[in-house]
Amino acid sequence: MAELPKIISVDDHVVEPAHVWQTWLPERFRAEGPRIERRGVGGMKHIGGGTYEQEFTDDGRPADCWVFGDLVYIHKRHVAAVGYSRDDMTMTPMTYDEMRPGCYDPKARVEDQEVNHVEASLCFPTFPRFCGQTFTEHPDRDMGLACVKAYNDWMVEEWCGDSDGALIPLIIVPLWDAELAAAEVRRNAERGVHAVCFSEVPSHLGLPSIHSGFWDPFFAACEETETTINMHIGSSSRMPATSGDAPVAVAASLSFNNAMASMTDWLFSGNLVRFPDLKLAYSEGQIGWIPYILERADDVWREHRAWGGVADLIPEPPSTYYYSNIFGCFFRDQHGVDSLDVVGVDNITFETDYPHTDSTWPDTKEVATRLMEGVADEAVYKIMRGNAIRMLHLDLDRDRQPAVATA
């Protein structure tokens, strides 16, 4: 294999700096808007999704916390994990002072990318959660919308603004109103944004499903503006679990199921028939499961479509829409790489997951080189950067963008 191309990571994360909403919100919202307070944490337990049992005490471990109405979100080490050993990547409360600056400072982030063989990075939110559901859950819709817009203005103008393309903007939308969501997509597309967060299973958030028709204005806006819909595992505020007392490692091992369930939902929804140019991306879902679910979905379509409710909805085998409309994403998945002939060399992208516990930083080049051993150079180029360039409409490598196979 030739020298590994510089990577474009399609799934990283930003820990929002303390000033975001106090700087970017309109003044009338700032007093009640999200702000950072340092508190002592006596105890903390993850219940599921974005829910924790938390105890605050004056003599507890210091932590910087987002305070927003009744919500208190504690910064935790396993979320800002880079720089710690694997055994120290625990659910420990922490302050900004204990984080690597690349977690929250754009210039430091670009420096950390440069030492990690990464040219550009797409970053998901932390405090708003993976599709901005924090602001959807707030009872004041005016405040929620103002917070969404403030986040997007900060993301585009400050986080990405001076990075010379090294940081790629990824916006959130007001999920409670599809017309408002469409308007926010169009507002940001006018300033060059081509990526938006969405929930893998919106019905888990108490929102209408993708089968309902509710989201059509949002889907239409994304298709019209070439904005890719990015769905991170956990963006439904629910992770697969077997029991309440199972170790978190069980849910972590099964997390791909969120992406698998969501993709199956989309393949049978008819949305990719009605919006044929819409593009979807599954973040941190890995890819090794894709060959089987495509096989199973096609088999169900062939054998069960009459009673399965999709005979008039899905005119082609479901896998057709995967190859034409969907991108997978991985960071360590040898089985998926070994299945490239079915996964589709034009359908997968790479990530570093900085700064989470799954991150391959600062060894991403070595990890990727091992995974790509024996893979043809042109396929390596596509997986490491070419497909991400197409997916995110980046102004890079225009002479290298080949026609896309759809079978």
Side-chain angles (χ1 to χ4, degrees), residues 10 122 194 226-228 230 279-281 283 327-328 349 386-394:
V10 302
L122 188 76
H194 290 283
E226 297 184 318
T227 299
T228 297
N230 296 263
K279 295 295 185 286
L280 313 177
S283 305
F327 295 90
T349 55
N387 292 338
I389 290 170
R390 287 192 298 109
M391 179 181 116
L392 299 170
H393 301 278
L394 303 179

Short mmCIF file of all heavy atoms in Angstrom, two decimals, residues 10 122 194 226-228 230 279-281 283 327-328 349 386-394:
data_model
loop_
_atom_site.label_atom_id
_atom_site.label_comp_id
_atom_site.label_asym_id
_atom_site.label_seq_id
_atom_site.Cartn_x
_atom_site.Cartn_y
_atom_site.Cartn_z
N VAL A 10 -15.22 11.74 9.82
CA VAL A 10 -16.62 12.16 9.74
C VAL A 10 -17.36 12.03 11.07
O VAL A 10 -18.56 12.26 11.12
CB VAL A 10 -17.37 11.39 8.64
CG1 VAL A 10 -16.71 11.59 7.29
CG2 VAL A 10 -17.47 9.92 8.99
N LEU A 122 -15.38 16.46 11.22
CA LEU A 122 -16.78 16.81 11.45
C LEU A 122 -17.10 16.49 12.90
O LEU A 122 -16.93 15.34 13.33
CB LEU A 122 -17.67 16.00 10.52
CG LEU A 122 -19.15 16.34 10.46
CD1 LEU A 122 -19.38 17.62 9.67
CD2 LEU A 122 -19.94 15.19 9.84
N HIS A 194 -23.16 21.73 4.78
CA HIS A 194 -23.76 20.59 4.08
C HIS A 194 -23.95 19.38 4.99
O HIS A 194 -24.00 18.24 4.51
CB HIS A 194 -22.90 20.19 2.88
CG HIS A 194 -22.91 21.19 1.76
ND1 HIS A 194 -23.97 21.31 0.89
CD2 HIS A 194 -22.00 22.13 1.40
CE1 HIS A 194 -23.70 22.28 0.01
NE2 HIS A 194 -22.53 22.78 0.30
N GLU A 226 -28.34 19.82 -0.69
CA GLU A 226 -27.26 18.82 -0.62
C GLU A 226 -26.68 18.76 0.80
O GLU A 226 -25.46 18.75 0.99
CB GLU A 226 -26.17 19.12 -1.65
CG GLU A 226 -26.66 19.06 -3.08
CD GLU A 226 -25.54 19.27 -4.09
OE1 GLU A 226 -24.68 20.16 -3.86
OE2 GLU A 226 -25.51 18.54 -5.10
N THR A 227 -27.57 18.72 1.77
CA THR A 227 -27.19 18.61 3.17
C THR A 227 -27.37 17.17 3.62
O THR A 227 -28.48 16.64 3.62
CB THR A 227 -28.04 19.55 4.04
OG1 THR A 227 -27.82 20.91 3.63
CG2 THR A 227 -27.69 19.40 5.52
N THR A 228 -26.28 16.52 4.01
CA THR A 228 -26.33 15.13 4.45
C THR A 228 -26.87 15.05 5.87
O THR A 228 -26.48 15.81 6.75
CB THR A 228 -24.93 14.50 4.38
OG1 THR A 228 -24.49 14.50 3.02
CG2 THR A 228 -24.93 13.07 4.91
N ASN A 230 -26.88 13.33 9.28
CA ASN A 230 -25.93 12.55 10.06
C ASN A 230 -26.58 12.03 11.33
O ASN A 230 -27.05 12.83 12.16
CB ASN A 230 -24.71 13.41 10.40
CG ASN A 230 -23.94 13.84 9.17
OD1 ASN A 230 -22.95 13.22 8.80
ND2 ASN A 230 -24.41 14.90 8.53
N LYS A 279 -29.13 12.15 1.16
CA LYS A 279 -28.00 11.34 1.62
C LYS A 279 -28.04 11.22 3.14
O LYS A 279 -28.30 12.18 3.86
CB LYS A 279 -26.67 11.97 1.18
CG LYS A 279 -26.47 11.99 -0.33
CD LYS A 279 -26.37 10.59 -0.90
CE LYS A 279 -26.04 10.58 -2.39
NZ LYS A 279 -27.17 10.98 -3.24
N LEU A 280 -27.79 9.99 3.62
CA LEU A 280 -27.77 9.66 5.04
C LEU A 280 -26.39 9.17 5.43
O LEU A 280 -25.71 8.51 4.64
CB LEU A 280 -28.78 8.56 5.36
CG LEU A 280 -30.19 8.69 4.81
CD1 LEU A 280 -31.00 7.46 5.19
CD2 LEU A 280 -30.87 9.96 5.31
N ALA A 281 -25.99 9.44 6.67
CA ALA A 281 -24.70 8.96 7.18
C ALA A 281 -24.90 8.44 8.60
O ALA A 281 -25.55 9.09 9.42
CB ALA A 281 -23.66 10.07 7.18
N SER A 283 -23.04 7.47 11.98
CA SER A 283 -21.80 7.80 12.65
C SER A 283 -21.56 6.88 13.84
O SER A 283 -22.46 6.68 14.66
CB SER A 283 -21.85 9.26 13.12
OG SER A 283 -22.14 10.11 12.04
N PHE A 327 -24.18 6.28 3.71
CA PHE A 327 -22.78 6.11 4.07
C PHE A 327 -22.69 5.49 5.46
O PHE A 327 -23.36 5.94 6.39
CB PHE A 327 -22.04 7.45 4.10
CG PHE A 327 -21.93 8.13 2.76
CD1 PHE A 327 -22.91 9.02 2.32
CD2 PHE A 327 -20.85 7.88 1.93
CE1 PHE A 327 -22.81 9.65 1.10
CE2 PHE A 327 -20.73 8.50 0.70
CZ PHE A 327 -21.72 9.39 0.28
N GLY A 328 -21.85 4.48 5.60
CA GLY A 328 -21.49 3.94 6.91
C GLY A 328 -20.20 4.56 7.39
O GLY A 328 -19.52 5.30 6.66
N THR A 349 -16.94 5.45 5.29
CA THR A 349 -16.07 6.55 5.67
C THR A 349 -15.36 6.19 6.97
O THR A 349 -15.68 5.20 7.62
CB THR A 349 -16.90 7.84 5.86
OG1 THR A 349 -17.95 7.58 6.81
CG2 THR A 349 -17.50 8.31 4.54
N GLY A 386 -11.93 10.18 0.23
CA GLY A 386 -12.70 10.47 -0.98
C GLY A 386 -14.20 10.43 -0.77
O GLY A 386 -14.94 11.31 -1.25
N ASN A 387 -14.68 9.40 -0.08
CA ASN A 387 -16.12 9.31 0.16
C ASN A 387 -16.61 10.44 1.06
O ASN A 387 -17.72 10.96 0.89
CB ASN A 387 -16.47 7.96 0.77
CG ASN A 387 -16.25 6.81 -0.19
OD1 ASN A 387 -16.22 7.00 -1.40
ND2 ASN A 387 -16.08 5.61 0.35
N ALA A 388 -15.80 10.82 2.04
CA ALA A 388 -16.17 11.94 2.92
C ALA A 388 -16.25 13.25 2.14
O ALA A 388 -17.12 14.09 2.41
CB ALA A 388 -15.16 12.07 4.06
N ILE A 389 -15.37 13.41 1.18
CA ILE A 389 -15.40 14.62 0.35
C ILE A 389 -16.72 14.69 -0.41
O ILE A 389 -17.37 15.75 -0.48
CB ILE A 389 -14.20 14.65 -0.61
CG1 ILE A 389 -12.91 14.90 0.19
CG2 ILE A 389 -14.38 15.71 -1.70
CD1 ILE A 389 -11.64 14.71 -0.61
N ARG A 390 -17.13 13.55 -0.99
CA ARG A 390 -18.42 13.53 -1.70
C ARG A 390 -19.59 13.74 -0.74
O ARG A 390 -20.51 14.50 -1.02
CB ARG A 390 -18.61 12.19 -2.42
CG ARG A 390 -17.75 11.99 -3.64
CD ARG A 390 -18.21 10.77 -4.43
NE ARG A 390 -18.11 9.54 -3.68
CZ ARG A 390 -19.15 8.85 -3.21
NH1 ARG A 390 -20.38 9.28 -3.41
NH2 ARG A 390 -18.98 7.71 -2.55
N MET A 391 -19.54 13.06 0.39
CA MET A 391 -20.63 13.10 1.35
C MET A 391 -20.86 14.50 1.89
O MET A 391 -22.00 14.94 2.10
CB MET A 391 -20.32 12.14 2.50
CG MET A 391 -21.34 12.08 3.60
SD MET A 391 -20.79 10.92 4.89
CE MET A 391 -20.58 12.03 6.26
N LEU A 392 -19.79 15.23 2.12
CA LEU A 392 -19.86 16.55 2.75
C LEU A 392 -19.67 17.70 1.78
O LEU A 392 -19.63 18.86 2.19
CB LEU A 392 -18.82 16.63 3.88
CG LEU A 392 -19.01 15.59 4.98
CD1 LEU A 392 -17.81 15.57 5.92
CD2 LEU A 392 -20.29 15.86 5.77
N HIS A 393 -19.52 17.38 0.49
CA HIS A 393 -19.39 18.39 -0.56
C HIS A 393 -18.23 19.34 -0.25
O HIS A 393 -18.37 20.57 -0.29
CB HIS A 393 -20.70 19.15 -0.74
CG HIS A 393 -21.84 18.27 -1.11
ND1 HIS A 393 -22.06 17.85 -2.41
CD2 HIS A 393 -22.80 17.67 -0.35
CE1 HIS A 393 -23.13 17.06 -2.44
NE2 HIS A 393 -23.58 16.93 -1.19
N LEU A 394 -17.08 18.74 0.05
CA LEU A 394 -15.90 19.52 0.36
C LEU A 394 -15.17 19.91 -0.91
O LEU A 394 -15.15 19.16 -1.89
CB LEU A 394 -14.96 18.72 1.27
CG LEU A 394 -15.56 18.22 2.58
CD1 LEU A 394 -14.53 17.42 3.36
CD2 LEU A 394 -16.10 19.37 3.41
#
